[in-house]
Amino acid sequence: MASSLNNKLGLTSKILLGMVAGIIFGLLLRNFFPESTFVKDYITNGFLHVIGTIFISSLKMLVVPLVFISLVCGTCSLSEPSKLGRLGGKTLAFYLFTTAIALVLAIIAAVIVHPGNASLATEKMHYVAKDAPGLADVLISIVPTNPMQAMSEGNMLQIIIFAVIFGFAIAHIGERGKRIAVLFEDLNEVIMRVVTLIMQLAPYGVFALMGKLALTLGLETFGSVVKYFFVVLVVLLIHAFIVYPTLLKLFSGLNPLIFIRKMRDVQLFAFSTASSNATLPITIEASEHRLGVDNKIASFTLPLGATINMDGTAIMQGVATVFIAQVFGIELTMTDYAAVVVTATLASIGTAGVPGVGLIMLAMVLNQVGLPVEGIALIIGVDRLLDMVRTAVNVTGDCVATVVIAKSEGEFNEAVFNNTQAGKVARSFDEQVHQMDNKA
């Protein structure tokens, strides 16, 4: 009976079931055993922590080989320098454009709703911002001195640069290059199959992640910044379900409802992991097999998007800047708002791959307009929940850009996108997992 029900449920349903069950499980333990050392040591920091960490680690395990192999495959097929340059220019321009839109929306919403209250300002607020890298350091650090070190450290920008150069070289050495390209295509298939295998862990990993979150993060965390939280949340949802679908329809003519429906699995993964990089294997798989994007486009735009596309973070920064200004009673001019948009948009590229990038970028923006960085202490408590939603928004933007660019480059299978021939063209996650279950 349980096995039959399990086969009937799709991947999205299983993940949703795991998410809801995890939250309920965590809240029940939190309410009935609030001071239990056993729950804290053996369930929160034991069972749930171990399962959740294994799930995240299994996804992160694939990121570096997936990005390197898929980018090499994609670049091999883009042997013309002009095509590679055009693809890079389109991708960068689209990401910057959507980031600027996100910031403007966030600032307008924060100004209208006015979430900040001067009574929140206290002398106890304390936040030490990490130094953001200088422009010269950013430019220098893009090119890796040791590609193996970049891979071991997960430095995505350096990996992307090396993979593009490596793939471009393969495309220009004739027959030898073709043999190597075939090898990388085979490796890409292997990596994608590993992704499919790991998908089976998803419902259990999501259960553990959400259970631990419910146990450790109560509603009291919101405190007096609940208004700020909901302003950011509403703008994130508007950007994901109104702005992105509008841009998709405008630039590609495709049906946004089909896109949103096919993005559910990716969005749920992103929400659960709060990491664009950890979600990258799922994002690439969905883009190619569900959205109809050719590998040569997806393998280039998606790793780049996971690194530099930070629309969700930009929304947080826009609202947070206005919120902190209101708390401290500082009036921002139109010039200040313009500076926020420009600084945060460009910083999304300049600080890509830096740990704690969201708060570093926010500190940069606050310094740019003369606001106290200590105000960040007010929003840290709710940032974890917002980070999960921000990540889901970011991966949605990555896929919109990928579909739009693939359509403009003629590297898009509309039949797969519309699902009219999905059974003939590609197998879904559910079908692949079901077949593996039957073999087992």
Side-chain angles (χ1 to χ4, degrees), residues 245-319:
T246 301
L247 291 176
L248 181 71
K249 184 67 176 178
L250 185 63
F251 288 112
S252 70
L254 297 170
N255 189 333
L257 295 179
I258 295 176
F259 174 83
I260 292 296
R261 187 163 63 248
K262 293 191 171 188
M263 280 297 297
R264 287 181 302 186
D265 292 345
V266 180
Q267 290 170 333
L268 286 171
F269 266 100
F271 180 83
S272 303
T273 61
S275 170
S276 294
N277 282 336
T279 312
L280 190 55
I282 316 302
T283 313
I284 291 178
E285 177 82 5
S287 293
E288 293 179 18
H289 294 162
R290 291 188 172 189
L291 299 178
V293 177
D294 192 277
N295 173 263
K296 65 172 66 75
I297 302 297
S299 63
F300 182 85
T301 59
L302 290 173
L304 193 61
T307 308
I308 70 171
N309 182 38
M310 301 181 185
D311 289 5
T313 304
I315 288 170
M316 177 272 286
Q317 291 163 357
V319 176

